[in-house]
Amino acid sequence: MKLLHVVGARPNFPKLAPVHRAARAIGLEQVIVHTGQHYDEAMSSGFFRDLGIPEPDVNLEVGSGSHAEQTARIIERFEPVLIAHRPDWLVVYGDVNSTMATTIVAAKLGIRVAHVEAGLRSNDRSMPEEINRLVTDRLADLLLTPSSDAEAVLLGEGEPTSEIVFVGNVMIDTLFASLPKASETGYAKERGANGGHIVVTLHRPSNVDDADRLRAVCRELVCLSSDRQVFFPAHPRTQQRLQALGIDLGNVKLSDPIAYFEMLDLVRTAHAVVTDSGGLQEETTALGVPCFTLRPNTERPITVLEGTNQLVLDVSTLAALVAKAKRSAPPRRPAGWDGKAGERVAKALADRPRPC
Ligand code: UD1
């Protein structure tokens, strides 16, 4: 059996790693296609090296652009690659443009698609990722769900039970496997993090593209930084916006994006995390670190219901909420967040050979 994995953006890479490892262990043939949606060292190749993922077999080098441009470039450049390889399964991850674009190509060529992280919904179509999730799940042939709530969503949308398999959270496989390496980096210590520190990440258009919103968030971060260390490794688009608006971040320790192990070391030792990332909502739940999500909704409600995540609806309350945060020990982990999801994905694929 041959799998063709597609990844393109930073959050895809920690999801691919455990699936690739597990599929190799059971002898499946594998091809990795990187669309090139993310291309900076810190956003892409560093992850491949750290996580032990082989170099991509193909890089489509699509780069940045509007959603239409990026999606169109991926579709155009991916089609001949998929025709050349004709895999038994196209395996796609998460909710980025690369996920949706390559799913469309495979569906039209009659190649089966397996979606890792199916069934997540924010019910907010102003988010580009929500459109990607809806299109990908509608077209995919195998819906591999990360948490118990996702199956109900898919059934509610009319997906047949036969296409849905609960596998758990592959991102958490990588988290568990990486904790020793994260502490070996000594990164938190090197940066002088004192355990009372806050880690911030922001990149969603809804937070960073609206100048008033970004200024309001930064006011709260500056307020927090008056009596706590605030580390803010910023996505390139966020750095561009902060610079363009000339926002003064006071004592906030702004930096370029940091490597996966370093980030994990900073997060696992933190008092709290402030974010709009999907992955961090999950990672903080698995680690028992309080997480404050700067969004009105989440496609990962299980992190609120069973984990440490809290949605911050009114930005002006952020500093006060973070100040009151308490770590939960030991953390409560949702079912299937056990470090074995990659193996379940590989088995689900191997159990379903291409029909003759
Ligand atoms: C993408 C995903 C988002 C995911 C995020 C993680 C979509 C719709 N969005 O958003 O779901 O949470 O990745 O980071 O797929 N840039 C660089 N270097 C890079 C990559 C991007 O400088 O390596 C800059 C470019 O100016 C680019 C901008 O960041 O225009 C946005 O990149 P893009 O890939 O369009 O979306 P993300 O915001 O990264």
Side-chain angles (χ1 to χ4, degrees):
M1 174 177 285
K2 181 173 180 178
L3 310 181
L4 190 148
H5 305 273
V6 165
V7 286
R10 183 169 61 176
N12 292 156
F13 312 135
K15 296 172 192 167
L16 165 65
V19 176
H20 191 275
R21 202 167 43 244
R24 187 172 52 204
I26 58 171
L28 305 188
E29 185 184 346
Q30 306 190 75
V31 176
I32 299 176
V33 175
H34 191 324
T35 63
Q37 180 175 344
H38 284 176
Y39 41 83
D40 287 354
E41 155 74 22
M43 303 285 287
S44 178
S45 43
F47 278 75
F48 277 74
R49 257 195 328 275
D50 287 351
L51 299 177
I53 311 168
E55 286 283 300
D57 298 277
V58 179
N59 192 321
L60 303 178
E61 295 180 350
V62 299
S64 305
S66 71
H67 286 272
E69 287 164 347
Q70 197 173 54
T71 304
R73 263 184 244 140
I74 298 169
I75 288 180
E76 194 171 10
R77 296 185 194 178
F78 183 59
E79 186 182 46
V81 175
L82 194 59
I83 289 172
H85 284 284
R86 282 250 156 226
D88 296 274
W89 284 108
L90 167 69
V91 189
V92 294
Y93 298 83
D95 55 16
V96 302
N97 287 343
S98 304
T99 311
M100 177 190 72
T102 55
T103 295
I104 291 173
V105 176
K108 293 214 169 185
L109 289 173
I111 290 173
R112 296 178 306 162
V113 178
H115 183 205
V116 177
E117 208 183 85
L120 300 188
R121 298 287 182 273
S122 64
N123 297 311
D124 174 1
R125 291 197 186 182
S126 70
M127 284 181 80
E129 293 81 3
E130 184 72 354
I131 311 290
N132 294 342
R133 293 181 201 115
L134 286 164
V135 174
T136 304
D137 282 343
R138 197 68 347 100
L139 297 178
D141 304 277
L142 184 59
L143 299 160
L144 301 162
T145 57
S147 49
S148 50
D149 47 347
E151 176 166 351
V153 166
L154 293 167
L155 291 173
E157 290 177 0
E159 295 291 348
T161 318
S162 57
E163 288 187 5
I164 306 169
V165 179
F166 172 58
V167 289
N169 193 328
V170 288
M171 182 88 128
I172 302 305
D173 290 16
T174 297
L175 175 85
F176 289 160
S178 304
L179 279 173
K181 289 177 194 144
S183 53
E184 273 167 32
T185 63
Y187 183 75
K189 210 167 153 199
E190 185 188 308
R191 293 289 308 271
N194 58 15
H197 61 281
I198 315 293
V199 183
V200 180
T201 76
L202 290 174
H203 71 281
R204 301 255 168 229
S206 55
N207 279 322
V208 304
D209 288 359
D210 176 333
D212 290 341
R213 170 84 178 178
L214 184 58
R215 283 202 184 90
V217 173
C218 290
R219 265 198 303 277
E220 292 295 303
L221 298 181
V222 169
C223 171
L224 274 169
S225 74
S226 63
D227 60 355
R228 284 185 186 275
Q229 298 170 311
V230 178
F231 294 97
F232 186 1
H235 184 290
R237 74 180 299 139
T238 311
Q239 294 197 36
Q240 288 159 15
R241 300 284 188 270
L242 290 169
Q243 223 163 26
L245 294 171
I247 293 178
D248 177 7
L249 275 167
N251 289 334
V252 173
K253 299 170 195 297
L254 185 71
S255 73
D256 285 339
I258 57 178
Y260 179 75
F261 294 149
E262 293 171 347
M263 184 67 173
L264 193 50
D265 195 39
L266 211 50
V267 167
R268 75 178 180 89
T269 54
H271 167 77
V273 166
V274 173
T275 193
D276 57 12
S277 141
L280 268 167
Q281 293 173 51
E282 297 178 339
E283 289 164 339
T284 47
T285 275
L287 293 167
V289 174
C291 180
F292 297 89
T293 297
L294 289 173
R295 284 176 44 191
N297 50 52
T298 177
E299 62 289 342
R300 293 163 162 88
I302 200 137
T303 60
V304 176
L305 294 170
E306 297 189 19
T308 58
N309 191 18
Q310 182 174 340
L311 300 181
V312 180
L313 305 181
D314 175 358
V315 172
S316 68
T317 62
L318 178 67
L321 285 171
V322 173
K324 281 193 291 192
K326 286 213 168 34
R327 286 185 71 122
S328 74
R332 210 174 131 201
R333 293 188 183 124
W337 295 29
D338 58 358
K340 297 197 182 320
E343 290 165 32
R344 290 188 286 266
V345 171
K347 183 171 183 317
L349 296 168
D351 283 350
R352 291 167 178 76
R354 191 179 350 201
C356 301

